[in-house]
Amino acid sequence: MKSLFLTLFLAIGQLVHAQKDTVRVSVIMPFCSKEIRLNPASARTPIGNACREYYQGFELAMDSLETKDRIFRIGVYDSKNDSNVFKRILKKQDVTNSNLIIGPVVSEAQLMMSSFSKKTGIPHISPLTTMTKSKVDDPNLIAMNPDLDNYADIFLEKLKADGELQGNIVVITGKGKNDKLIASRFQALKNKYPQYSFKSLEIGRYNEFKQHFQLGKTNHVIIDSDNEYLVGSVIRMLSDSNQFNDIHVYGNKKWLNFNAIPAPVWKRLQVTIICPIYANMENAYTRNFFVAYKERYNTEPNEFALAGYDQGLLFLQNLAENEGRLNLDALKFQRKLSGGSYSIKPKPNGKGYQNMRLNFLMFDEEYNLVPVAY
């Protein structure tokens, strides 16, 4: 891959004829390819590799598309995680004439993208980043990972869809700078969901949970922390059946990296991991992707490759079926792909769009982590 850009042509359908319309897609990501070649230990290696893996999944999506007869011109640009390089890329004619832009990746660059978006009106995708405090109110932005505070919106809609008529929701907030965002959003939504009660407490005061526990209701306990010691302390307290019952615990993907996972305890507490991307290997669709990826790249795909493959299928197919224009109304209908489900809808508390689906994972009878259907 060249350090600045590489332009590819993808002919989809029959042989290419001059009268066909061309759909232009620009992929602008910090591949940092030259820097990584010169110094594999560079601080930019993790983000560069993530972008490369994303694009490898995206390439497989291009190969597997079944679309109407249409020509795609895919321009791939390396922004090098450098704001000046990114600004120069945005001035290129092929970029300003794009039907869709994939990228940038980091939230700081998304803020820079907003002014470009206002001038051009080109829809653009945030492919990997979960927004936290860096809110980007851009009507043309599509965030594939829901904003962190909107986890509350998705969680409550799932409870409602599951037929939960009443419930006690307690958010135990961690000590990180963003660990209170979800709790704040739950409080903002309490009037919209009067059937549920909402409470929060700081993780250092988790012993006060007994003041918030409610008999006769399912107690949904969201532990918004990835500190293994503190999370373990809360889990041990909640597992005391002499004090508590009907407990359902929720955590984040980083819990899966804990040094010690007491699987039987997690299963008894119905611990559910919430995350944007997860490969469900029970799905034949996912298994086929793994086989194709390994055959081409001689390695197993990771979550970034899964994201690239799913997003490539989702958006390129949509463009091909709608004469090069993104049809957001069609994207709101749920579609299950290799890394999870997708339903693109307006952000509940801001401008722009985002995927309003998350993976909810639980242990099955054999202690395999599997997605919960909803």
Side-chain angles (χ1 to χ4, degrees):
M1 183 176 295
K2 295 181 180 178
S3 60
L4 184 57
F5 72 95
L6 171 66
T7 301
L8 305 175
F9 291 91
L10 175 64
I12 300 176
Q14 302 173 355
L15 295 175
V16 178
H17 297 288
Q19 69 267 25
K20 292 181 184 176
D21 292 332
T22 299
V23 179
R24 291 179 169 83
V25 177
S26 294
V27 181
I28 308 174
M29 305 180 82
F31 296 100
C32 306
S33 54
K34 182 177 180 181
E35 181 172 342
I36 293 173
R37 283 199 303 271
L38 296 175
N39 178 20
S42 165
R44 294 178 177 175
T45 297
I47 192 171
N49 284 340
C51 294
R52 173 180 52 80
E53 289 150 355
Y54 174 94
Y55 187 72
Q56 288 173 173
F58 186 84
E59 277 190 319
L60 279 180
M62 290 190 287
D63 290 348
S64 62
L65 279 174
E66 295 179 4
T67 68
K68 295 181 179 179
D69 194 22
R70 197 160 298 281
I71 304 169
F72 274 72
R73 176 171 177 163
I74 312 292
V76 185
Y77 304 84
D78 187 350
S79 63
K80 304 180 182 179
N81 207 24
D82 184 314
S83 59
N84 291 323
V85 173
F86 180 66
K87 289 177 183 177
R88 290 199 295 270
I89 291 171
L90 292 182
K91 294 179 181 178
K92 292 183 173 294
Q93 186 174 4
D94 276 354
V95 174
T96 59
N97 290 331
S98 296
N99 298 80
L100 176 69
I101 296 174
I102 297 176
V105 171
V106 298
S107 55
E108 293 82 359
Q110 289 292 354
L111 292 169
M112 294 172 56
M113 188 76 172
S114 292
S115 57
F116 172 87
S117 174
K118 289 176 183 176
K119 294 177 183 177
T120 63
I122 300 172
H124 56 101
I125 297 168
S126 174
L128 301 175
T129 306
T130 297
M131 301 294 183
T132 50
K133 288 187 176 179
S134 301
K135 283 290 184 183
V136 181
D137 277 330
D138 183 343
N140 298 304
L141 171 63
I142 304 168
M144 294 310 296
N145 291 350
D147 290 358
L148 190 59
D149 58 348
N150 291 142
Y151 277 43
D153 301 74
I154 297 169
F155 180 88
L156 290 170
E157 283 301 302
K158 181 183 184 301
L159 281 193
K160 185 178 175 182
D162 288 344
E164 182 86 51
L165 300 179
Q166 60 176 355
N168 180 40
I169 299 170
V170 181
V171 184
I172 299 179
T173 61
K175 298 181 178 181
K177 64 179 182 178
N178 298 316
D179 288 350
K180 293 185 178 180
L181 291 176
I182 294 176
S184 297
R185 182 62 180 165
F186 271 117
Q187 288 299 321
L189 291 168
K190 63 182 180 181
N191 291 331
K192 184 179 178 181
Y193 297 89
Q195 66 270 46
Y196 308 130
S197 58
F198 302 93
K199 301 177 182 68
S200 66
L201 72 156
E202 294 181 359
I203 198 165
R205 303 170 65 180
Y206 66 87
N207 284 318
E208 297 177 10
F209 172 77
K210 57 187 175 183
Q211 300 172 20
H212 304 304
F213 174 76
Q214 292 188 20
L215 281 170
K217 289 185 177 181
T218 300
N219 291 266
H220 300 276
V221 184
I222 300 168
I223 307 176
D224 194 7
S225 171
D226 51 35
N227 182 297
E228 182 171 359
Y229 174 77
L230 293 174
V231 169
S233 298
V234 178
I235 292 289
R236 283 191 293 275
M237 178 194 68
L238 295 174
S239 65
D240 183 355
S241 58
N242 292 321
Q243 295 190 75
F244 311 115
N245 57 24
D246 207 0
I247 298 286
H248 195 156
V249 176
Y250 303 83
N252 63 55
K253 185 177 63 176
K254 291 184 179 179
W255 287 22
L256 301 179
N257 296 324
F258 285 175
N259 293 318
I261 296 177
V265 177
W266 279 25
K267 190 173 187 307
R268 179 155 45 87
L269 291 173
Q270 303 180 74
V271 169
T272 302
I273 302 298
I274 304 175
C275 62
I277 293 287
Y278 182 76
N280 178 14
M281 297 308 294
E282 294 183 355
N283 182 349
Y285 186 88
T286 308
R287 293 196 300 271
N288 291 338
F289 166 65
F290 266 66
V291 170
Y293 190 93
K294 193 169 184 178
E295 285 179 352
R296 175 171 294 190
Y297 302 111
N298 199 32
T299 187
E300 296 280 347
N302 59 15
E303 63 181 280
F304 307 116
L306 281 169
Y309 182 70
D310 284 0
Q311 292 173 32
L313 288 181
L314 199 67
F315 290 104
L316 295 180
Q317 183 106 32
N318 184 282
L319 288 169
E321 292 175 351
N322 295 283
E323 299 180 346
R325 294 186 294 274
L326 206 60
N327 182 351
L328 289 165
D329 284 337
L331 290 170
K332 68 182 179 182
F333 297 104
Q334 180 185 354
R335 184 173 177 187
K336 292 184 179 181
L337 295 174
S338 60
S341 294
Y342 300 87
S343 175
I344 311 300
K345 296 181 180 180
K347 288 188 177 184
N349 56 335
K351 296 178 181 178
Y353 296 80
Q354 69 182 5
N355 181 28
M356 291 299 293
R357 304 292 292 189
L358 288 164
N359 288 295
F360 289 76
L361 314 171
M362 294 180 66
F363 284 123
D364 64 12
E365 294 301 322
E366 298 179 350
Y367 297 106
N368 297 310
L369 206 60
V370 296
V372 178
Y374 80 104

